[in-house]
């Protein structure tokens, strides 16, 4: 799936062949056009009407029309708004997402929505909104299945029709480095964390990267700060674990780069550990055997850590 901005000629017109494609896409969605009332006759949508409708959209500040192509074929169009006219609304909006009716059921709508969300997330936006006509239960079902929640009701700005307003929070991306320290018997060192957002769980030493750090550098710094073990260096790469959680009311999508390091069986040490652990929500620590990891009912991050370490051991034996 490729999203590209709507190209225009030097005279700000839509190229003829593309306008033909867009008209066919709009006309294929007869049910939606009859519901929306955007065109006088949903059974006779003409190129000049589509061109006028898109020109009116682009005349608004912050509007972008994006075309979705799959294997070279135009399969969808999406119109986004960087900011709502209401200054109290901080979110960008999806004004329209339309998929060629002949391509329904193939996941194009979901992929287009995810691509738009990624674009807004990359620009630092915290959420995205859209409005669904109250008379469009199919549209409401589609968006709620993608994680959007109804946050209000209002008439649409163009024709005053009753709509549900939906919003989806966009995760903030956070990169982290962690180290699985293994003692001579293969036991792994874990911290016990607790917080109002995520609850009690066990996790490897590590944390978020600082600006300019590589994941390996950040993992080593975090390990030293949290354990006092300055003699250990992150070794082979174990896995990349992507997960979402909520922190201080914000959804975080974290990429944990996890490394392995052998080390002696010992306790954390150092004059500043108490303050470091208090700030990170660390309540305690202990070494876990592989059998304990396989049978525990407690929450361990990343999931299936014992299996990951067993597979790592086997790779080392085969190598």
């Amino acid at each position: 799936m490729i999203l590209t901005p709507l190209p225009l000629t030097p005279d700000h017109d839509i190229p003829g062949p593309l306008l033909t494609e867009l008209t066919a896409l709009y006309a294929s969605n007869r049910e939606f056009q009859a519901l929306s009332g955007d065109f006088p006759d949903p059974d006779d949508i003409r190129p000049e009407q589509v061109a006028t409708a898109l020109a009116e959209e682009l005349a608004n500040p912050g509007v972008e029309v994006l075309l979705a192509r799959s294997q070279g074929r135009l399969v969808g169009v999406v119109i986004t708004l960087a900011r709502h006219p209401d200054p109290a609304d901080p979110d960008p909006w999806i004004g329209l997402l339309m998929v060629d009716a002949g391509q329904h059921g193939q996941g194009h709508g979901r992929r287009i929505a995810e691509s738009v969300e990624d674009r807004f997330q990359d620009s630092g936006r915290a959420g995205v909104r859209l409005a669904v006509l109250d008379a469009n239960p199919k549209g409401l079902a589609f968006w709620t299945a993608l994680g959007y929640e109804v946050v209000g009701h209002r008439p649409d700005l163009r024709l005053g029709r009753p709509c549900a307003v939906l919003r989806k929070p966009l995760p903030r991306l956070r990169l982290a480095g962690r180290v699985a320290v293994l003692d001579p018997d293969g036991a792994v060192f874990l911290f016990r964390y607790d917080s109002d957002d995520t609850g009690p769980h066990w996790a490897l030493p590590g944390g978020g990267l600082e600006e300019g750090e590589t994941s390996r550098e950040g993992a080593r710094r975090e390990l030293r700060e949290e354990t006092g073990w300055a003699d250990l260096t992150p070794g082979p790469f174990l896995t990349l674990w992507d997960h979402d959680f909520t922190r201080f009311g914000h959804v975080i999508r974290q990429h944990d780069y996890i490394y392995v390091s052998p080390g002696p069986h010992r306790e954390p040490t150092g004059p500043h550990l108490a303050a470091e652990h208090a700030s990170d929500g660390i309540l305690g620590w202990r070494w876990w055997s592989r059998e304990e990891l396989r049978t525990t009912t407690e929450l361990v991050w990343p999931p299936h850590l014992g299996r990951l370490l067993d597979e790592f051991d086997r790779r080392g034996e085969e190598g």
Side-chain angles (χ1 to χ4, degrees):
M1 176 69 63
I2 300 175
L3 283 187
T4 57
L6 175 70
L8 299 176
T9 69
D11 294 329
H12 301 286
D13 295 325
I14 301 174
L18 176 56
L19 183 57
T20 299
E21 287 184 289
L22 284 165
T23 302
L25 188 152
Y26 273 68
S28 73
N29 286 271
R30 196 266 175 204
E31 182 180 356
F32 174 76
Q33 304 301 355
L35 179 66
S36 70
D38 291 336
F39 296 94
D41 185 353
D43 294 311
D44 185 22
I45 297 177
R46 302 175 182 178
E48 58 270 21
Q49 294 173 328
V50 174
T52 298
L54 291 174
E56 290 175 352
E57 294 284 0
L58 289 169
N60 297 303
V63 166
E64 189 171 24
V65 177
L66 302 170
L67 307 181
R69 292 190 178 274
S70 177
Q71 299 180 344
R73 176 176 179 176
L74 181 68
V75 296
V77 60
V78 59
I79 300 174
T80 65
L81 179 64
R83 290 197 177 276
H84 193 273
D86 183 352
D89 185 344
D91 293 324
W93 279 63
I94 297 175
L96 173 72
L97 192 160
M98 186 181 300
V99 174
D100 187 319
Q103 299 289 312
H104 285 180
Q106 299 186 32
H108 293 312
R110 174 183 55 79
R111 287 190 288 272
I112 293 171
E114 290 173 349
S115 295
V116 170
E117 292 163 7
D118 289 342
R119 291 165 68 96
F120 284 135
Q121 182 184 4
D122 290 344
S123 65
R125 309 304 290 270
V128 60
R129 300 190 187 211
L130 54 90
V132 176
L133 293 171
D134 284 355
N136 185 10
K138 289 183 180 179
L140 184 63
F142 170 79
W143 289 109
T144 54
L146 296 185
Y148 288 76
E149 297 182 353
V150 176
V151 295
H153 295 270
R154 67 169 69 165
D156 77 282
L157 296 179
R158 185 166 174 264
L159 297 176
R161 298 164 295 186
C163 295
V165 177
L166 292 86
R167 184 180 190 271
K168 182 177 182 178
L170 299 179
R172 298 181 178 180
L173 181 61
R174 184 174 188 254
L175 303 180
R178 297 190 180 277
V179 183
V181 180
L182 304 181
D183 75 3
D185 294 323
V188 63
F189 180 85
L190 297 178
F191 282 121
R192 185 175 188 272
Y193 293 84
D194 195 9
S195 69
D196 294 336
D197 296 324
T198 57
H201 61 279
W202 293 87
L204 299 165
L209 305 185
E210 295 182 352
E211 186 174 356
E213 277 187 328
T214 67
S215 57
R216 192 179 294 274
E217 291 168 344
R220 182 178 184 179
R221 174 186 52 76
E222 288 283 341
L223 177 65
R224 182 179 64 251
E225 292 175 355
E226 294 181 346
T227 66
W229 301 338
D231 56 329
L232 296 186
T233 299
F237 179 71
L238 177 66
T239 191
L240 171 62
W241 180 45
D242 294 342
H243 58 112
D244 293 348
F245 62 95
T246 302
R247 189 175 193 180
F248 306 124
H250 296 288
V251 179
I252 308 295
R253 175 163 297 160
Q254 182 155 299
H255 297 335
D256 277 349
Y257 294 84
I258 302 176
Y259 301 90
V260 176
S261 176
H265 189 103
R266 57 185 168 180
E267 301 296 300
T269 183
H272 306 295
L273 287 186
E276 181 74 26
H277 291 178
S279 65
D280 289 345
I282 295 174
L283 302 182
W285 59 79
R286 74 178 180 90
W287 292 86
W288 288 65
S289 70
R290 301 296 173 84
E291 180 62 23
E292 289 173 325
L293 288 175
R294 284 189 289 267
T295 59
T296 185
T297 58
E298 296 188 70
L299 181 62
V300 175
W301 287 1
H304 313 298
L305 177 60
R307 176 176 57 79
L308 290 170
L309 293 173
D310 289 343
E311 293 174 353
F312 175 82
D313 290 343
R314 287 194 292 271
R315 291 199 302 270
E317 293 171 359
E318 294 169 357

